[in-house]
Amino acid sequence: MTAQTPHSGPVAARLSFLDRFLAVWILLAMAAGLGLGRLVPGLGEALAKVTVTGVSLPIALGLLVMMYPVLAKVRYDRLDTVTRDRRLLIPSLAVNWIAGPAVMFALAWLLLPDLPQYRTGLIIVGLARCIAMVIIWNDLACGHREAAAVLVALNSVFQVIAFSALGWFYLSVLPGWLGLEQTGLDVSVWEIARSVLIFLGIPLLAGFLTRRLGEKARGRTWYENKLIPRIGPFALYGLLFTIVLLFALQGDAITSQPWDVARIALPLLVYFAVMWTGSMALGRAVGLDYPRAVTLAFTAAGNNFELAIAVAIATFGASSGQALAGVVGPLIEVPVLIGLVYVALAARRFFPAPDSALQPTVAPEGSARV
């Protein structure tokens, strides 16, 4: 996607053909996945046979391909400007690790009081803060690339430290205090750390080494003008490939249980709207410019569905309602957050001009942002 400043002209006129119709490609990928899941017998079982931390190996490869180009674009020499920005870091930790799990817990109990398996699955989704696909949404919305890298890294650290404790609190302790049904969650710190190392560590290391070695060998001008435009589109290809496989994996369950999917989707829709809108408003209230505010919003609204699915399968089984709720999560998240990308771009005029010291990296004209 062509780089935009938050106050530039019409976005659509500056996009490539692929980027301009991204929503169409995503809808087609979803439809193709559903069709494959229904038309090819045993496809779901075949995709699920070989897994990485509970996630299908082809899906894991798609996620890695999707994340690598964006992380290769990050200016790692500028990360210190983000780590010193308390107006961004403190709100991000608050909305991710205090507001996010609490909002999902409340919505799951309010909207699914009669469906304990789906309710538990959604609470697990709420505990798993995003470390993967959020990078794509942030880049599409012209967010601050370096800030996204820092916030994702922070979420990863907190995930390893806090996920199990929060799962125990929201599934056992808090329901007990409120007189509600209690559920156990037995997941080790190593299982969480392994998921983080695979889905963030591998593409992060690859992106860092690509920039470091590429700039050292050929210079920054060549890296930004030649290499980035070549590898950039692979993020979109990886995204579409992942979406096809996600929908194919659960195509039969989704099409044969539409009412269950709709029940799971409702709290998710409310959750994404509340978290994204609330975080954008918070960013505006504390004086963040558009690139940093939109990064705050997308890192707050997204969830680490790889971890949520892996935990649900490992704890409750692949055919459980908890696992289905985990799978429905990204199926709802993808179209909703791509829609919020367009909302974000339209809302840029309500934010102050970017602070020059914290200006996000701008790719050369004509280079692929995705």
Side-chain angles (χ1 to χ4, degrees):
M1 184 180 291
T2 303
Q4 302 286 307
T5 60
H7 300 278
S8 58
V11 175
R14 300 169 182 259
L15 303 183
S16 69
F17 176 76
L18 281 175
D19 293 329
R20 190 175 304 150
F21 297 100
L22 179 62
V24 176
W25 311 138
I26 287 177
L27 290 173
L28 289 175
M30 293 163 63
L34 285 175
L36 285 172
R38 290 289 290 180
L39 296 175
V40 180
L43 179 61
E45 290 83 354
L47 288 174
K49 275 186 177 179
V50 182
T51 64
V52 177
T53 67
V55 178
S56 165
L57 179 59
I59 293 176
L61 293 175
L63 289 166
L64 296 177
V65 171
M66 176 188 76
M67 293 175 63
Y68 162 68
V70 181
L71 290 169
K73 296 176 187 178
V74 170
R75 283 281 301 276
Y76 293 93
D77 58 334
R78 294 173 53 93
L79 294 183
D80 61 329
T81 62
V82 180
T83 57
R84 295 195 304 264
D85 186 7
R86 294 185 179 181
R87 283 191 301 174
L88 175 62
L89 296 182
I90 293 174
S92 176
L93 291 175
V95 296
N96 270 287
W97 296 101
I98 299 175
V103 169
M104 187 67 90
F105 175 86
L107 290 171
W109 273 100
L110 285 172
L111 299 176
L112 299 174
D114 56 328
L115 297 171
Q117 290 192 355
Y118 298 155
R119 184 178 65 235
T120 298
L122 285 183
I123 292 172
I124 294 172
V125 169
L127 298 176
R129 312 313 300 167
C130 197
I131 64 167
M133 207 172 280
V134 67
I135 296 174
I136 291 288
W137 312 135
N138 179 73
D139 221 44
L140 286 169
C142 303
H144 197 298
R145 201 172 278 153
E146 286 70 39
V150 170
L151 296 185
V152 162
L154 275 177
N155 276 349
S156 301
V157 173
F158 271 78
Q159 217 146 211
V160 173
I161 296 171
F163 185 91
S164 296
L166 287 173
W168 169 72
F169 177 76
Y170 279 104
L171 293 174
S172 298
V173 177
L174 186 56
W177 289 351
L178 299 175
L180 303 172
E181 180 182 347
Q182 296 172 283
T183 306
L185 182 62
D186 182 19
V187 56
S188 71
V189 170
W190 166 240
E191 289 175 303
I192 301 165
R194 184 175 55 184
S195 177
V196 169
L197 287 171
I198 290 172
F199 294 111
L200 176 64
I202 291 175
L204 182 61
L205 179 62
F208 173 78
L209 291 177
T210 300
R211 178 172 283 278
R212 182 72 178 271
L213 298 177
E215 288 187 356
K216 185 177 180 180
R218 304 290 295 273
R220 180 164 293 171
T221 300
W222 172 84
Y223 187 89
E224 297 285 356
N225 293 326
K226 299 295 184 181
L227 184 61
I228 288 298
R230 291 176 185 172
I231 66 176
F234 283 92
L236 175 59
Y237 305 151
L239 173 65
L240 297 177
F241 176 75
T242 303
I243 291 170
V244 170
L245 293 182
L246 279 171
F247 276 75
L249 187 63
Q250 289 288 337
D252 186 63
I254 292 167
T255 54
S256 63
Q257 304 177 61
W259 176 240
D260 286 359
V261 171
R263 289 289 306 273
I264 297 169
L266 179 58
L268 285 168
L269 289 169
V270 178
Y271 172 83
F272 294 135
V274 169
M275 291 298 296
W276 189 89
T277 305
S279 299
M280 281 287 279
L282 176 61
R284 182 67 178 85
V286 301
L288 296 180
D289 56 25
Y290 171 82
R292 290 182 293 155
V294 81
T295 298
L296 174 66
F298 278 105
T299 51
N303 292 91
N304 183 358
F305 63 83
E306 306 94 339
L307 176 59
I309 292 171
V311 169
I313 291 174
T315 306
F316 303 102
S319 60
S320 65
Q322 291 89 342
L324 178 60
V327 171
V328 171
L331 307 187
I332 304 302
E333 177 178 321
V334 168
V336 170
L337 293 193
I338 191 61
L340 289 173
V341 167
Y342 292 98
V343 175
L345 292 171
R348 291 176 300 173
R349 63 183 183 273
F350 299 112
F351 287 81
D355 184 334
S356 59
L358 295 168
Q359 184 91 18
T361 304
V362 178
E365 188 69 22
S367 68
R369 218 182 137 86
V370 171

